[in-house]
Structure formats: C-alpha cells, structure tokens
Amino acid sequence: MTLAVSASLAHAGPKEDAYQVVEKWGKAFTASDVDAIVRLYAPDALMIGTLGKVVLTKPEEIRKYFEIALNNNKPRSASLNSSEALVIDDSTVIISGFDTVTGVKDGQSVIGLGRVTFVVARRGSDWLIVHLHRSPLPAT
C-alpha cells in the first residue's frame, strides 16, 4: 500500500518499522508478487482475506490465497488511504485503516474500498505480519 512514512530511518521505532512492512505489502500486491507478499507473513500468521470465509492459519493457505487473488483482475493496486497505528510494545504494532484496491475485470476498472487491520510483530530481527484482516467497506 502506498504511504509516506515521515520519520527518518535513523529514528525509526516500532510504528515506523511496522509501516515499512505495510508499504512492502502494498508494493508486492501491486506487483502481483506472490513470493514477496508471502515472505512478509510470520509462519504462524492468521489471515482473513477480503472475501474470506475461514481464518487462514498456515503459510501454504496464505500462499494459495494470494496465488489466486494476485493473478486475477490485473493490473491491480492497493493503497492505504488513512490509518492509525497503536504501538502495543517495542515488538508489536496494530495498524487499522481504510484502503482502496483496484483491478481490471472484463476490460473494466474495478475499485474496492475496504477496512483493513494489520498486526505486525518483530520476530528476531525481522518485522512480519502476524495477522491481517480486510473486509469490504459497507455501501452505507
């Protein structure tokens, strides 16, 4: 998701580190790069995709979801329109907000507005997604 992180990397803290993961996620989504997006998830991550009817709990389930999702309606993009971050501790950040996902279906542009929550946690020296939930924004 395209977003600007205003803090200097020299002064990066948990919030800025978590936003960098979300930014990488958005770039991988827009590039339809399944490998890159899956690498951003912790092995024990939980995920509920936009139209998900089950909680995905295994890396192979998350990979399968994105193999389908990222290879339909191309070209596609994802952008985080607005968000708030809650730093739980030095290793855990929750980012919740609203996003726009675009794509092309049957030659026509499609736009999906949604609500999204990322939980990003430090695992060793890496920051990884441990939970993602996205749902369509209600029409009213």
Side-chain angles (χ1 to χ4, degrees), residues 9-21:
L9 290 178
H11 298 98
K15 181 177 173 179
E16 293 79 16
D17 291 337
Y19 269 114
Q20 286 180 356
V21 173

Side-chain angles (χ1 to χ4, degrees), residues 61-137:
E61 293 172 340
I62 293 171
R63 172 174 289 283
K64 183 177 177 181
Y65 177 89
F66 284 113
E67 284 173 347
I68 295 167
L70 295 182
N71 287 302
N72 289 306
N73 304 334
K74 294 192 322 187
R76 52 177 39 263
S77 69
S79 60
L80 191 59
N81 304 327
S82 64
S83 66
E84 297 292 334
L86 175 62
V87 177
I88 301 298
D89 56 38
D90 287 344
S91 299
T92 312
V93 179
I94 300 170
I95 298 172
S96 291
F98 299 93
D99 68 359
T100 302
V101 173
T102 66
V104 175
K105 185 174 184 175
D106 300 324
Q108 299 294 318
S109 293
V110 291
I111 298 172
L113 302 176
R115 304 170 289 193
V116 64
T117 299
F118 289 88
V119 179
V120 184
R122 184 175 20 216
R123 297 290 177 84
S125 61
D126 296 323
W127 282 87
L128 298 169
I129 298 166
V130 296
H131 174 75
L132 169 72
H133 175 240
R134 184 181 187 278
S135 58
L137 191 65

